[in-house]
Amino acid sequence: MTALLEVTNLTAGYGDGPAILSGAGVDVQPGKVHCIIGPNGAGKSTLLKAICGMLKIREGEVRFKGEKLNGLRPDQILRKGICFVPQERALFPKMTVLENLRMGGFMLTDDTVVNSRVDEILDRFPILRERATQLAGTMSGGQQQTLAMARTLIIKPDVVMLDEPSLGLAPKIVQEMFDIMRVMADEGITILLVEQNALMGLKHADWGVVLDLGRTLFEGPAQEILTDPRIQELYLGGKKAA
């Protein structure tokens, strides 16, 4: 199967500082959940930021549907169908849930379409309809993460990239986040996530990527990564998948 998103030999870093990524790569297949794991400082979040145009690519290529994305601005990449949800969720805390959802459709020119898609989201996520008039910054962490993920659906992206979606959330809420990801994937949205909880991430993914020292060391079916003794020892704390 031809990759939807291809990242090849990527070198990138922050400003004039040293390269954080040095030869990273990943092939992202359509409609699948891909989980990137690795130790702190491996370059996982940096990889997502380079793909979405937040960081300048020094070497290598990012191609989406065969088109080279190097040098494009984040808004241009978003318009092509790649949406990024950072760790901090990037909500507008002093705006309501409804206003945040509408902001997710800022690039759409037809208000009727925006309104229709917002209604679809509120139907799909009853907690957001219940909290529609609440300021986003006053919601719980899990509710904010739900809003951040749901907001991406307004523009119907091809790829949603999530940076540490489970960070700081209770186990029950974490499971809900992964359930949302699976629903998105079942509807044809491709998921690329960075997850510090490697076991949880891989258990809910179709494809796994191991990143360390800025390089891709291994990628393959998530279940194979979970059962690989070397990866268990180095990156999963020696724990076997249940």
Side-chain angles (χ1 to χ4, degrees), residues 188-200:
I189 297 174
T190 301
I191 305 292
L192 179 61
L193 74 140
V194 162
E195 183 52 64
Q196 193 63 39
N197 187 339
L199 278 172
M200 177 69 82

Side-chain angles (χ1 to χ4, degrees), residues 109-160:
T109 57
D110 189 333
D111 283 344
T112 302
V113 172
V114 174
N115 291 335
S116 174
R117 292 184 183 181
V118 168
D119 283 340
E120 288 176 10
I121 295 302
L122 295 177
D123 287 342
R124 184 179 301 178
F125 300 98
I127 186 62
L128 298 184
R129 184 177 290 282
E130 179 183 326
R131 307 277 178 162
T133 59
Q134 183 174 340
L135 298 182
T138 66
M139 301 199 320
S140 69
Q143 291 165 355
Q144 289 188 30
Q145 187 63 271
T146 299
L147 175 57
M149 294 170 68
R151 187 176 61 177
T152 68
L153 303 180
I154 300 296
I155 62 169
K156 297 188 180 298
D158 295 296
V159 178
V160 172

Side-chain angles (χ1 to χ4, degrees), residues 194-214:
V194 162
E195 183 52 64
Q196 193 63 39
N197 187 339
L199 278 172
M200 177 69 82
L202 289 171
K203 285 178 180 178
H204 290 84
D206 303 298
W207 194 258
V209 180
V210 180
L211 195 68
D212 200 352
L213 297 175

